[in-house]
Structures are given as structure tokens and as C-alpha cells.
Amino acid sequence: MINKKVLSIILGGGQGSRLYPLTHSRSKPAVPIAGKYRLVDIPISNCINCDLKRIFVLTQFNSASLNSHVKNSYQFSLFSDAFVDILAAEQTPDNQTWFQGTADAVRQCMHHFEAHEYEYALILSGDQLYQMDLNEMIQAHVDSGAEITVATQPVKGKEATAFGILKTDENNFIKTFTEKPPQDQLSGWESEVSPEMKAEGREYLASMGIYIFNRKFLNKVLNDTDAVDFGKNIIPDAITSGKKVLGYQYEGYWEDIGTVSAFFEANLALTDDLPKFNLFDKSQTILTRARILPPAKISGTTLDKSMVAEGSLIHASKIEHSVIGIRSRIGKDTVVSNTYVMGNDNYQSLEVIDNAIKNKQPYIGIGDRCHISHAIIDKSSKIGNDVRITGGRHLEDRETDTYVIKDGVVVIKSGAIIPHGTTIE
């Protein structure tokens, strides 16, 4: 079987500054999504669903929580060769630097990969939301005789300026490539797409940052050059030098959630009646850590287009168009709308809660009589009673000790304490 010849490599990315403050104390792949998962669960689940079970995750920033999550989530039979391993950047006698880019990360970890038998390296991003049959892409790569395959997604003209845009020939081999072209230079970069994509105005093929390399070619190109990035260096150079670089067109749901606004919108979109990213598809199950938590307990709350994760204690008056994460606590007469509450890592004891109440201090969760909208509440935050948080485009970007506003989204920092009666609007 072809998938037995594949080694999967998930790139954890750099410092994740575009997702700050969600990446202040965790790496991008460790950021919680959909109330109970981590971003890294998406590419790992895609691989496992396709029976690609030899997986490395490469990271270098704030990797402790990611290491813990992967270790506690992905355990295989002792009699299987399956694994999910973390490779953090490390100094060695031959290399004293951290990862300088995607290609450099793979280059520095090659000595770990060489211990395994494989013919193809599948390289994935750790901060994208998609459900893709990776075996179809692998088979297209093998059948075409390509040295590299690049997954592509049709995008609209207004989106094309944020991606690497390419054009293919009649056999789907990539002939030209441009990195983040200006709007006035897009003319002529349209490609042949399906009638459905054309009707939506999605006529430009964008690189998804998902690649397949033949092992021999990958070894050679990383040894022969000092190029540090696949998208900016390795792929364009291979195209211009006439290498066989296949474009594999994927038209399913795919979202690059590397920014706070994209992350926020992608999470709230999961509450739609028929979300484009389907968490309920048994053939494409999203896997994560198995937790022993009680069911969510909800009292006197009107719920509309919302998801509530296990272990939550909800007394709110209304929750709409929101995602409520594990172990969340929301007090009486509180209204939460258009908000992602990540939840909590632990419960507080009744003694700790009683002491907080006696001292008129907030305790973990969201207090009574609060109104919260257009916000992300990071884990283990303590939001007092009578707090009002109203995000929106009317707000200018800014940062305080307890919250950050980006693109109109108010992000309450992990573990922040928001005193009783605070207003953010």
C-alpha cells in the first residue's frame, strides 16, 4: 500500500505572532479549537484517517503544552510502527541555530527521518482547518511521476494577494509561480477550475502549503542549497529550473487560521446548521485527548446555534452563536453571543470559590449578569460579575495587561483577572 511508503511531517510554525496573545504561552499547534481540540489535532487526524500513522510534529516555540497534549492523546499499539513524535528545535555540534524557515526545519531534522524507511515525505501545516483525503493527493503524485506535488485551492481575486499563486499546464504541472502578487498584477493568472469554483469567482490557484516530496529529491535539494523556506525558495526554484512539480487541485473546505480574526470566524462557523467543516462526519473524525469529564450541566439557559463541550457548568440566561469549551463556568443572568470561550484546564475547589466570594474576587469562569460579545475568552480566565465586553469593528487595536483587541475581536488573555463591573467596549 502506498501510504506505507509515506512519512508525514507537520510544521508547527514559528513564534505565531499573528495569533498573539493566543500564542503567548503555547505554540500555534497547541491553540485550542472548537472547544475541545487543539489545532495540531486537525492535520494529525487527517493523517490517521488516511492510515498515515508515522507522523513527526516540528516545533520550537513554547512547546511544553504541545508535547503534553500529543503524548497524552496519540498512543498506538506496542506491536505497531505507528507514532506521533514531537521534534523541537535543538542545538547540535553541526547546527547552533533554531529553525530559520519551513525548509530549514526539515533540513535540521533529517537525521531523525533517516532512521525510517519511506519514499515520500508529506509536509503539512499545523495551523489550517480542512478535511482532505491525503491518499488521493499521494496517488496523484505517484501516478504523475512528479518530484514535488503542491496542493492548491481556488481563491477569489481579493484573496489571491495573500497567497502564492500558480498556473499549471494541461497535465497539471506547475509552470509559473508568483508570491503574494499585488491586485493590479493579477490579470493573466486565472486558471482552469471547475464550473462551481468559477461561479464563485474563485479562479486563482493558491498554494495551500501542503507538499509531497520524493525522498531522494528532498535530500538532494536540502543538501545542495541553503534555502530556508519551501514556499518562498524551494518550490519556485524547482519550477523555474524545470523540475516536475504537480499542482493537485483541492476544492473542499480549507481555511488558513493563522490570524486572530480568521481563527475567531472559523470557530464560530462551526455553529452553523451545516458547517463547511463537519465535526460529525464519522469517516473524517477529529481525534484528540480522551478526557474523563462529566456531561455539561445547563440550568435555565436559552441556547441557539452554539456548541457546549463536556464538563461545563452553565447558568447563563442566553448563549447564541458561540462555542463553549471544556470545564467552562458561566454565571446566572449572563448573555454570551458571537464568542469563543475556550474553557478551563481545571476545576476550582468549593473552598477556593468560597474564599474568592468572601473576598469579593472573581473566580475561574464568567460571573453573573455579564454581557459578552465578539470575544475570545482564553483558558482559565477569571471574569467577575457585571462585566461588559463588546467587541466589534468600532474598536481600535490595542493591548493591556489582561486583554488584546485585534480586528475588532476582544481577546481575554489566558489566566487574566477581569474585576467586577469592568467594561470593555
Side-chain angles (χ1 to χ4, degrees), residues 71 91 98 149 190 198 200 234 239 262 335-336 338 347 350 356-357:
K71 175 177 68 71
Q91 289 189 347
W98 281 23
T149 292
E190 298 86 354
K198 195 167 186 177
E200 295 179 19
I234 301 291
I239 294 169
V335 176
V336 177
N338 300 298
Y347 293 113
L350 290 176
I357 293 172

Side-chain angles (χ1 to χ4, degrees), residues 240-390:
T240 56
S241 63
K243 302 298 182 183
K244 298 184 73 175
V245 183
L246 183 72
Y248 176 79
Q249 194 172 145
Y250 174 70
E251 296 186 355
Y253 176 77
W254 173 79
E255 190 69 47
D256 182 353
I257 47 180
T259 66
V260 167
S261 57
F263 175 83
F264 176 70
E265 291 167 5
N267 274 280
L268 294 195
L270 297 173
T271 68
D272 292 345
D273 290 338
L274 294 173
K276 293 181 179 179
F277 187 83
N278 186 3
L279 292 172
F280 300 89
D281 186 345
K282 289 182 65 176
S283 67
Q284 301 185 88
T285 302
I286 305 302
L287 307 168
T288 193
R289 178 180 176 183
R291 300 178 179 89
I292 309 303
L293 288 173
K297 189 174 183 179
I298 303 170
S299 303
T301 306
T302 299
L303 290 169
D304 184 31
K305 287 193 174 181
S306 295
M307 299 194 305
V308 180
E310 61 266 36
S312 295
L313 295 166
I314 310 296
H315 292 88
S317 62
K318 186 175 184 180
I319 297 175
E320 60 180 351
H321 197 216
S322 295
V323 176
I324 310 300
I326 57 171
R327 303 186 190 90
S328 289
R329 181 195 67 83
I330 303 178
K332 294 180 180 178
D333 299 318
T334 287
V335 176
V336 177
S337 64
N338 300 298
T339 291
Y340 177 21
V341 180
M342 288 188 176
N344 305 304
D345 287 323
N346 299 287
Y347 293 113
Q348 287 184 308
S349 68
L350 290 176
E351 180 182 359
V352 171
I353 292 172
D354 287 341
N355 284 335
I357 293 172
K358 288 177 183 177
N359 294 317
K360 298 183 179 180
Q361 296 293 322
Y363 53 98
I364 282 182
I366 299 172
D368 299 338
R369 300 176 302 279
C370 296
H371 283 74
I372 299 175
S373 66
H374 291 86
I376 297 173
I377 313 299
D378 205 340
K379 280 196 169 183
S380 302
S381 301
K382 300 176 182 178
I383 297 176
N385 300 328
D386 303 297
V387 169
R388 191 172 191 91
I389 301 172
T390 308

Side-chain angles (χ1 to χ4, degrees), residues 50-51 72 118 137 155 220 224 231 238 413 425:
C50 294
D51 201 27
N72 290 314
Y118 68 99
M137 180 180 173
V155 298
K220 178 175 172 53
D224 291 351
K413 295 180 179 180
E425 56 185 18

Side-chain angles (χ1 to χ4, degrees), residues 19 22-23 27 32 50 55 63 88 125 140 159 170 172 184 201 203 227 245 249 258 325 359 395 400 411 424:
L19 265 182
L22 303 178
T23 52
S27 61
C50 294
I55 305 166
S63 57
S125 172
E159 302 167 337
E170 64 277 6
N172 293 321
D184 59 0
E203 298 185 78
V245 183
Q249 194 172 145
N359 294 317
L395 297 177
T400 73
V411 184
I424 305 172

Side-chain angles (χ1 to χ4, degrees), residues 383-410:
I383 297 176
N385 300 328
D386 303 297
V387 169
R388 191 172 191 91
I389 301 172
T390 308
R393 291 291 179 178
H394 63 285
L395 297 177
E396 294 184 357
D397 289 1
R398 67 177 183 268
E399 179 175 4
T400 73
D401 291 340
T402 56
Y403 67 88
V404 171
I405 299 175
K406 278 189 176 181
D407 298 326
V409 181
V410 179

